[in-house]
Amino acid sequence: MSSSNIESREVLGRLLATQQQLIDLKFRLDREHQVGEGFRRFSERALGTVALSAFWELATEEIVSTFGTENAPLLRLAEEATLCGQCCAADVSPEELATFGVLARETHAAQSTVLTLAPLPRLLGADTSAVLIATYLDAEEDVLYGMVATVSASKAPFYPTFDSALGPLFAAFCNHVGALQAHHRGRIEAARVSLQLQRLAEVASRTSNGVLILGRDSGVQWVNEGFTRTTGWTLEEVLGKRPQEFLHGPGTAAEARRVIQEAAADLRPFDVEVTQYTRSGRQYHVQIEARVTYDERGLPNGLMAIETDVTERWIAARRDGLAQRIAGLLLSSDSAEAAGQRVVRELVAALEVPAAQLWWAQPGRDTLVHGAGVASPSAGEEGRQFLEVSRTLDFSKGPTPDRGVGLPGHVWQSGGSVEDLTATGHRVSRRFEAARAAGIRTICAAPIHGPNGVLGVLEVGSSHGHPINDILGSVLERVAEQLAAFLLHDQSRRAFSAVFEHSPDAMLLVGVSGSVVAANARANALFGDVRGVDVDRLIDGGRKLVSSSLGGKIGPSGAGLLQRRGFSLSNTEFSAEVSVAATETPEGAAVIFAVRDLTDRHRLEDEVSRSLREKETLLKEIHHRVKNNLQIISSLLMLQVDQMPSTRARELLEESVHRVRSMALIHQQLYGAESIGRIDLQAYTRQLAESLRGALAP
């Protein structure tokens, strides 16, 4: 036989041997995974126990569940063996209890965990095939405890083989019970958290996003510089506090609070957008993505939360949405009084301000007439009192061109927007005191311009710290322009035409033939000169929308906003948001198309997606670093193996190496996975088995 054939057979033999070892190892890994799950469940449940007896009941119950045995008595081995709990150890006779005690002490002395020697005594009324026994010493009372799990002869053929791995797993579980019983978990956890924070500090400090590390009790353990820059809070000031204690406030939604608090209490990941407050009281909006952190045993021990400031996106959405909603409110209003009341109510709700009011300037009157006023429910009786005081005051033009009586009177006379940071209304004392009592710190007023002067004054009272305050003046001016458009036309065709023309969206009036009858300036800017153009040339499926709308199938209360492709006359394609509604014109039935170019919105969404990818890169880098550190620990242990003279010591160290590598492999899987929220268990098990197979061969 040639040397190449011999070599081939040797390689094939090694491969077959390796394959068999992998098969054997799979069963061992399955068992290790099952025990790991038992570790996790028991740790979570044991933390909620108060009495030691309840702790013992949980321990025995989890042994049966994790190792699949029939019984699991837990014994206190003092002068004589006593049963700690009745759960999973019913009907234990004194003779059997004494037998358990003897077996436990013998096993402790022999440093063994599995008894399969025949014949075994009858235990708990059944022929016993094998017994798992492990012990731990309670350092506080200096008493040995023994944990016993029995497998009857009838169940033995279906029970996993008692190999060299089952004993250490059972002993490890028993030692874990002892560690929890001795209340050492807190000190171990603190040391582990300190090490993990050192690893995360360098990476997390370089991101502009806020990063928080929370412990099991939801208290802050660490924050990065990005968090301090955004909120003004330093690590020393918030250490040990729960984030909601200093970040949440009156503007934080109750639902968002509930989601965060419940997820933090249960150590569950969450992703939520929420309103928060800086140290100075400024309100801002963040997207919080929180993920669970784990200790070296794979048990959850806290959360890592990454906060992305989305205030600008929130403001833009509020501003655009407000203009569109107010346009719809004005279209459906049949009088100036109804329109004014709807507008101020929408301002209070959308801007989250304490109050909004509207005054009309009427021909022949030298004072403004109070037209509408709404106070936020959160302002309470003080808000209603502020409105009542405002109604009783006479705001008029003053003796000089640049000064009117009160803030509304001044805006009426000057024709320009005014923001009064003192909320005094130019020292109308009763109004000043009422505003303060209602929580109003800033009053912004804008004129409603008509062709021959100011038609009215729109006013909003807000509190300091709200992000919308940065653009409150421009928002109010835009709303005032929409109100002016409504007032400059009659209650039917002229009102419709004004809102149609001044809408921030592209508006198309399409006849039953499918051709554009009229278009506003925004539509001409977006599409080109479209009068007489077929709507199918501008909106994908435009004629079908016309037919459906005229048939009553869609409308303001029907399909709502639709996503369609838009086409300008210069053949530029864009993504559009379209709403359609049937209407009546002097020429007959028609359909109104409101078209919004989504290009800017998609750009903002792309920016958010890019930010999310940066966070994902950060998390992957963290997993990568944790994996590298675990690999270093594994290498150091392997170096120590060669220095150990005892075979038993080398085996124990090698077993520790295997466990560390199994944990490192999880972080490696998370680092390379498409989703950092989970891993493919089948791929992880296969890769871990291959790694351990090679490490344990032959």
Side-chain angles (χ1 to χ4, degrees):
M1 183 179 296
S2 64
S3 59
S4 61
N5 290 336
I6 295 175
E7 291 176 356
S8 298
R9 291 192 175 186
E10 290 178 351
V11 170
L12 181 59
R14 287 195 296 269
L15 289 175
L16 292 175
T18 301
Q19 182 181 13
Q20 184 59 44
Q21 290 177 356
L22 288 175
I23 294 173
D24 297 339
L25 190 57
K26 178 183 181 301
F27 291 99
R28 181 175 299 178
L29 291 175
D30 289 342
R31 186 183 297 130
E32 289 180 355
H33 174 72
Q34 181 179 359
V35 174
E37 285 296 305
F39 267 67
R40 179 185 61 78
R41 289 193 304 270
F42 176 63
S43 299
E44 292 177 347
R45 299 176 64 191
L47 288 174
T49 59
V50 178
L52 189 57
S53 59
F55 174 87
W56 287 333
E57 296 289 343
L58 280 178
T60 55
E61 181 181 327
E62 194 57 52
I63 283 293
V64 171
S65 174
T66 300
F67 289 87
T69 59
E70 294 160 295
N71 299 282
L74 180 61
L75 312 177
R76 187 176 184 272
L77 304 174
E79 295 181 359
E80 61 180 10
T82 57
L83 196 62
C84 294
Q86 293 299 321
C87 179
C88 303
D91 302 324
V92 179
S93 66
E95 294 77 16
E96 290 174 332
L97 188 60
T99 301
F100 284 145
V102 173
L103 291 175
R105 288 189 177 93
E106 291 177 353
T107 304
H108 179 72
Q111 296 184 350
S112 174
T113 53
V114 180
L115 294 179
T116 57
L117 299 177
L120 288 172
R122 286 178 59 84
L123 298 175
L124 302 177
D127 292 334
T128 305
S129 174
V131 181
L132 286 168
I133 300 179
T135 59
Y136 64 86
L137 183 66
D138 190 315
E140 289 188 6
E141 57 180 348
D142 194 23
V143 172
L144 188 67
Y145 283 78
M147 185 168 287
V148 182
T150 66
V151 180
S152 66
S154 62
K155 189 177 181 180
F158 310 99
Y159 196 80
T161 305
F162 281 87
D163 55 22
S164 59
L166 186 59
L169 288 175
F170 189 80
F173 197 102
C174 185
N175 290 335
H176 183 60
V177 174
L180 287 177
Q181 182 172 319
H183 302 287
H184 291 164
R185 183 173 179 80
R187 179 168 53 83
I188 296 173
E189 182 70 9
R192 192 212 59 76
V193 169
S194 176
L195 177 61
Q196 185 180 36
L197 292 180
Q198 292 176 5
R199 296 170 179 171
L200 296 175
E202 182 180 356
V203 176
S205 62
R206 298 185 181 183
T207 178
S208 60
N209 295 326
V211 180
L212 300 88
I213 303 296
L214 308 179
R216 178 177 287 277
D217 61 351
S218 303
V220 174
Q221 295 181 338
W222 183 83
V223 297
N224 70 336
E225 295 178 3
F227 177 85
T228 300
R229 286 193 299 269
T230 301
T231 67
W233 294 100
T234 64
L235 174 60
E236 293 74 16
E237 293 170 328
V238 302
L239 192 63
K241 295 182 179 179
R242 297 181 178 182
Q244 56 266 30
E245 295 177 8
F246 57 91
L247 292 179
H248 293 178
T252 306
E255 179 63 18
R257 288 175 185 257
R258 185 189 63 79
V259 170
I260 294 174
Q261 291 174 359
E262 291 182 358
D266 298 338
L267 291 186
R268 290 185 285 103
F270 63 88
D271 193 340
V272 66
E273 185 172 318
V274 65
T275 299
Q276 296 189 156
Y277 294 83
T278 65
R279 184 178 182 182
S280 63
R282 182 182 64 85
Q283 193 181 91
Y284 68 105
H285 291 259
V286 292
Q287 186 77 25
I288 303 177
E289 183 181 8
R291 294 294 178 264
V292 181
T293 58
Y294 299 87
D295 62 16
E296 65 278 1
R297 291 165 294 182
L299 301 177
N301 65 347
L303 294 171
M304 180 174 67
I306 299 179
E307 297 187 345
T308 303
D309 192 333
V310 295
T311 303
E312 291 185 3
R313 186 188 71 187
W314 182 87
I315 290 176
R318 285 295 181 91
R319 180 182 57 213
D320 296 342
L322 176 63
Q324 189 171 13
R325 287 193 298 274
I326 287 182
L329 292 174
L330 295 177
L331 278 172
S332 60
S333 299
D334 56 3
S335 67
E337 292 75 15
Q341 189 68 24
R342 290 178 177 181
V343 167
V344 294
R345 183 179 292 110
E346 181 63 28
L347 286 173
V348 169
L351 302 181
E352 300 177 8
V353 293
Q357 299 183 84
L358 178 64
W359 283 270
W360 300 118
Q362 295 184 351
R365 292 184 62 100
D366 57 359
T367 59
L368 293 170
V369 176
H370 192 273
V374 172
S376 169
S378 62
E381 183 60 33
E382 291 78 6
R384 290 187 289 273
Q385 185 64 30
F386 170 71
L387 296 181
E388 187 60 34
V389 170
S390 299
R391 290 191 191 98
T392 62
L393 297 175
D394 292 332
F395 299 110
S396 61
K397 294 183 178 180
T400 61
D402 62 343
R403 181 61 63 190
V405 178
L407 183 62
H410 177 63
V411 172
W412 183 21
Q413 176 134 352
S414 65
S417 299
V418 173
E419 184 174 341
D420 185 353
L421 297 179
T422 62
T424 64
H426 295 287
R427 298 301 172 185
V428 179
S429 59
R430 283 200 301 144
R431 192 165 187 253
F432 169 74
E433 296 298 335
R436 286 288 182 179
I440 296 173
R441 299 295 179 267
T442 302
I443 292 183
C444 186
I448 304 172
H449 286 288
N452 300 317
V454 176
L455 302 176
V457 175
L458 186 62
E459 178 187 272
V460 168
S462 69
S463 58
H464 286 309
H466 200 288
I468 204 71
N469 283 343
D470 298 338
I471 60 166
L472 188 57
S474 63
V475 169
L476 211 57
E477 289 175 355
R478 186 172 182 179
V479 175
E481 291 175 359
Q482 291 177 287
L483 269 173
F486 177 82
L487 295 174
L488 288 175
H489 296 80
D490 56 32
Q491 297 177 359
S492 56
R493 179 180 177 183
R494 297 187 62 187
F496 161 76
S497 301
V499 176
F500 181 88
E501 184 60 34
H502 291 84
S503 172
D505 295 328
M507 304 293 290
L508 303 173
L509 184 63
V510 182
V512 294
S513 64
S515 298
V516 176
V517 177
N520 66 353
R522 175 59 183 153
N524 289 327
L526 182 61
F527 295 104
D529 187 1
V530 296
R531 189 176 181 87
V533 177
D534 193 296
V535 70
D536 265 350
R537 173 68 178 79
L538 307 175
I539 304 296
D540 187 20
R543 280 181 172 271
K544 290 183 179 179
L545 292 177
V546 171
S547 300
S548 298
S549 182
L550 292 175
K553 296 180 180 179
I554 61 175
S557 61
L561 298 177
L562 306 172
Q563 300 292 324
R564 289 289 189 273
R565 289 184 301 163
F567 309 95
S568 69
L569 296 181
S570 60
N571 293 323
T572 300
E573 181 179 332
F574 59 92
S575 178
E577 189 175 69
V578 181
S579 62
V580 295
T583 187
E584 288 292 333
T585 69
E587 291 76 21
V591 175
I592 302 173
F593 279 73
V595 183
R596 172 171 295 181
D597 185 357
L598 299 181
T599 303
D600 290 340
R601 182 189 297 181
H602 289 167
R603 176 180 56 79
L604 289 175
E605 292 174 351
D606 290 342
E607 291 177 357
V608 173
S609 297
R610 183 168 59 254
S611 175
L612 293 176
R613 288 195 297 271
E614 290 175 356
K615 291 190 293 184
E616 184 174 354
T617 301
L618 168 64
L619 291 174
K620 285 192 174 184
E621 178 64 20
I622 291 172
H623 286 299
H624 184 56
R625 289 174 180 263
V626 171
K627 186 266 294 182
N628 287 346
N629 288 335
L630 291 174
Q631 187 62 44
I632 291 174
I633 293 174
S634 174
S635 300
L636 292 175
L637 290 175
M638 286 302 298
L639 290 175
Q640 190 64 34
V641 169
D642 297 336
Q643 306 299 322
M644 301 301 293
S646 169
T647 301
R648 177 59 178 167
R650 286 196 298 271
E651 290 176 351
L652 292 174
L653 281 177
E654 288 175 351
E655 184 175 340
S656 298
V657 169
H658 300 159
R659 293 177 178 176
V660 171
R661 286 178 177 174
S662 67
M663 291 186 291
L665 186 56
I666 293 178
H667 292 281
Q668 181 178 346
Q669 289 275 343
L670 289 171
Y671 173 71
E674 293 183 1
S675 170
I676 59 176
R678 62 183 63 188
I679 63 172
D680 185 341
L681 181 59
Q682 182 179 5
Y684 164 74
T685 305
R686 183 183 298 109
Q687 189 172 354
L688 180 61
E690 292 173 354
S691 175
L692 293 178
R693 178 65 138 174
L696 296 175

